[in-house]
């Protein structure tokens, strides 16, 4: 599998996202929509399956094409699905830039941050961790009016295109909050909790 991923799935500057049953490719330079997807790039690092040079190059491409520093989001894919013949499933039913269809899907945004930490690009990981923090979308009146949702809750998504750019999506309904916590504690600060050791010490103290 690792050999296939680093050959067939490699697309010169990043990893392809998926192959359909009829042989079409998602996440390739040849696509007009979904040319690049963040999950394949991040997990090439997190999984350890990507060859070192390719994983590093893939994350550079993720930064170049999917991180919108001005809006403060890390997109899942770009460009969004809209008019092409590609059939990625239900996400195409979302408007371009909404949720998985070209917006920030926060799970994948955090995986990108974890991947940067995995490459020991610590300052970059910290900067992007801060960038997607909801408070950074709400620390001025103008930003809060644009963002529209709670500044103290990790959103499942932030919209990434047209007149919805920068608006927060679902809140109070996402497992990405726990990923955000893990990214900060374990991957950026480097603190690992050993549950078994903690329990042993607690029992001994009693």
């Amino acid at each position: 599998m690792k050999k296939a991923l680093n050959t067939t799935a490699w697309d010169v500057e990043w990893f392809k996202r998926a192959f359909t049953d009829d042989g079409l490719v998602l996440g390739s330079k040849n696509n007009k929509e979904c040319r690049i997807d963040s999950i394949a790039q991040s997990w090439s690092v997190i999984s350890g399956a990507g060859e070192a040079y390719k994983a590093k190059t893939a994350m550079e491409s993720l930064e170049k094409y999917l991180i919108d520093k001005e809006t403060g989001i890390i997109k899942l894919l770009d460009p969004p699905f809209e008019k092409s013949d590609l059939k990625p499933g239900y996400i195409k039913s979302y408007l371009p830039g909404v949720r998985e269809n070209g917006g920030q899907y926060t799970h994948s945004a955090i995986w990108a941050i974890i991947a940067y930490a995995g490459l020991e690009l610590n300052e970059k990981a910290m900067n992007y961790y801060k960038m997607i923090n909801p408070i950074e979308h709400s620390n001025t009146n103008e930003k809060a009016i644009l963002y529209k949702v709670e500044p103290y809750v990790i959103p499942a998504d932030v919209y990434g295109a047209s007149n919805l750019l920068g608006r927060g999506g679902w809140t109070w309904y996402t497992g990405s909050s726990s990923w955000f916590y893990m990214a900060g504690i374990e991957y950026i600060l480097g603190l690992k909790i050993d549950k078994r050791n903690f329990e042993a010490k607690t029992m001994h103290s009693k």
Side-chain angles (χ1 to χ4, degrees):
M1 180 180 285
K2 185 174 181 179
K3 181 180 179 181
L5 289 169
N6 285 282
T7 53
T8 304
W10 180 242
D11 204 40
V12 184
E13 292 184 74
W14 58 78
F15 289 95
K16 300 169 187 174
R17 177 64 176 91
F19 300 85
T20 66
D21 290 341
D22 53 2
L24 296 177
V25 180
L26 303 178
S28 168
K29 282 176 168 289
N30 297 322
N31 297 140
K32 291 182 179 179
E33 298 173 1
C34 188
R35 292 183 71 242
I36 181 171
D37 178 288
S38 75
I39 293 177
Q41 320 321 318
S42 299
W43 279 92
S44 72
V45 178
I46 297 169
S47 68
E51 294 173 359
Y53 167 75
K54 291 177 180 176
K56 181 175 180 293
T57 301
M59 292 306 296
E60 290 172 351
S61 296
L62 187 158
E63 184 174 38
K64 180 177 180 180
Y65 295 107
L66 297 175
I67 296 182
D68 182 345
K69 296 179 183 178
E70 184 174 346
T71 307
I73 63 174
I74 303 175
K75 297 179 182 180
L76 174 61
L77 58 85
D78 193 69
F81 292 103
E82 185 175 13
K83 298 178 181 179
S84 73
D85 294 331
L86 293 172
K87 299 177 180 179
Y90 78 94
I91 70 171
K92 196 171 181 178
S93 65
Y94 291 124
L95 292 171
V98 173
R99 292 183 60 76
E100 294 101 314
N101 192 17
Q104 173 180 290
Y105 201 59
T106 306
H107 273 82
S108 63
I110 296 167
W111 291 333
I113 291 164
I114 291 173
Y116 285 121
L119 292 174
E120 297 185 357
L121 298 171
N122 302 322
E123 185 175 353
K124 191 166 290 189
M126 185 64 227
N127 287 340
Y128 291 140
Y129 185 79
K130 179 181 178 183
M131 183 185 79
I132 69 168
N133 188 324
I135 199 67
E136 295 295 326
H137 292 275
S138 313
N139 55 10
T140 67
N141 192 49
E142 291 78 10
K143 287 182 180 180
I145 291 171
L146 175 64
Y147 188 54
K148 294 189 183 296
V149 296
E150 303 93 334
Y152 46 83
V153 183
I154 297 292
D157 58 296
V158 181
Y159 301 160
S162 64
N163 63 316
L164 298 174
L165 183 65
R167 180 181 297 184
W170 287 6
T171 55
W172 298 104
Y173 185 73
T174 177
S176 55
S177 56
S178 57
W179 276 106
F180 190 74
Y181 179 84
M182 287 178 61
I185 299 296
E186 295 192 14
Y187 294 94
I188 293 178
L189 293 180
L191 301 176
K192 304 289 183 180
I193 298 174
D194 185 337
K195 181 180 178 183
R196 291 170 300 175
N197 193 35
F198 174 77
E199 288 177 344
K201 287 182 178 179
T202 303
M203 290 176 68
H204 181 72
S205 66
K206 290 180 180 179

